[in-house]
Structure formats: C-alpha cells, structure tokens
Amino acid sequence: MHVDIIHDGEARLQNFLDHMAREKPDALIQMGDFAIPIPENAMTIRTFNEAHPQVFHVLGNHDMDGGFSREAVCEAFGMTARYYSADLGSIHLIVLDGNDPGSPSNKGGYPSYIDPSQQAWLIAELEKSSKPVLVVCHQPIAGIYTIDNSQEIQGILSRFSSKILLAINGHAHVDQHVLVGGVNYLHINSASYYWVGEKLAHESLPQEVHEKYPALKFTCPYSDCLFALLTIDPESGKVSVEGRQSQWIGPSPTDLGYTILTEAEQRENLKPEISNFRIEGLVV
C-alpha cells in the first residue's frame, strides 16, 4: 500500500476492505510496505487489523523506514513474530521475513536475505506440515528482484514442492509468474504505484498533492487500488487468483524512458495490473 508515499492510501485501503467485505474471505493478508509505525498511521493499521477476525502481516523493507526496528514494526502491526506460521482451515500458511541482515553478497541498500536460523525454521515447518502450504514473503524468492540467496531458498522449497500450493511475494511491483523447481512463484503487484526513482522524477498529479507527498514524484501511480483474491482447493491443489486492472496516472515508466528492467520484462510484467491466474494442481 505504501501509505506514506501514495496520496490516497486510506481510500485505497477502504476500497480493498469494502471489496473483501462483499467477498467474505477466510483471511486478509497485507504483503509488506504497508505503513511506517508512526502515530499518524496508527488508525490505518487499526482499520486493517479490525476489518476481519483473521488478518496477517508480512514485514516489508519500507515498513522500517525512519529507523524503526523490525521488532517495533511487529509490535505496531500486532505481529507475534517476524516470521511465523498458522493453520488457515485446510492449508498451512508460512510467512517469511526477507529482511535479515548478514547477507554475504549484500552490496548496500536494504537487507534482502533469509538467514540460516530462519532457513532451519522453514525446513522444520515444511517437514512437519501435513497440510498443503502457502508461502508468503515480501521479497521475491524467484523472478524479478529476488533476495540475495534466492537459489538457496528455492532449493529448500523445491525439496517440498509436493506440499507447496504457491509462493507469493510483493516488493517488485510487477505482475509475474515463474515456475522453478516444481514451485509456482507469483508476484502480487503493488496496490499503489511503480517506483522509477530520482532520475525520472516527474509530477503526474496537481502540484499541491506533490508538495504534501514529496516522494510521489519518483513513482508512476496506478489510478485504482490493486489487490488479488486467492481461492484455494486444498484437496486438489487447485489455486485461482482473481486480479484487477488499472491505468497509469500520467506517463508510464516506459514513456519516461525507464530501462532497469529488460524490454521483455517491461512489456510482459511492468503494468498496472494483477493478472488472473490458475494452477490446476500441485506439481509432484
């Protein structure tokens, strides 16, 4: 959601919650980069937490902006731990924290790593689960913008591919599906925008909006809130994703000359959309 950057975060959240109130899902999941735990965001966090009997949070790298620790964010969100598991009906939910420090290949910037102690916990969770598993992490484990030790974590998940329904992530703000080692990985797009950075700064909204939200000029915002509805049949392993389409507010990243992604990635994955998607069963 990025409520600290987007100009209409509360309206986007309410749009999502109104839609979910009609759909009546078993749980709500926010996948990270939701809100910095400052007093001004307390009501937004509370609104999400009180919208459903079962809500799940994932730690995003930007939730710690402003010097907040992961523990402080967990406390503000009401999380019992940085990474955790829960039984959700007939499936087992595993939520990972991709913000571990200590990566041997980190070259600066935000940590993007799952350390050995969390890996050991993940293996134990997968070994003992008798239910099909949904894996959730803010940072991608496969595809665009992966964590530093993506191949290592892919290897762990592939060992248990017969149990894993789907692994989903946020972070990259793209629309992408990849199949690696028998595991389906799905990028869930941002609710709000794609980040293009300082070199492509521009104003796509009225000046007064940009004055109030100064980081907005580094983004290409979506006109509508994006979110997805996952429907899972645990017995057959079938999963369907009902996504949403929007439009760019102002120029698109391609219009601005964005070049960090390849031309193919921009064409196929860089769009204000979460595609509809189906998995017909577990890959065994």
Side-chain angles (χ1 to χ4, degrees), residues 218-234:
F218 307 131
T219 77
C220 290
Y222 309 149
S223 62
D224 307 290
C225 180
L226 295 183
F227 51 82
L229 183 69
L230 275 67
T231 303
I232 298 172
D233 181 346

Side-chain angles (χ1 to χ4, degrees), residues 61-65 99 106 108-113 139 148 171:
N61 53 301
H62 286 292
D63 294 318
M64 280 78 74
D65 284 351
N99 303 283
N106 181 264
Y110 290 97
S112 184
Y113 182 61
Q139 291 85 349
D148 292 344
H171 188 65

Side-chain angles (χ1 to χ4, degrees), residues 10-27:
E10 291 183 4
R12 289 173 189 260
L13 176 60
Q14 195 58 53
N15 179 260
F16 165 71
L17 295 179
D18 289 346
H19 190 90
M20 291 301 109
R22 294 190 294 271
E23 293 287 348
K24 296 180 171 54
D26 295 291

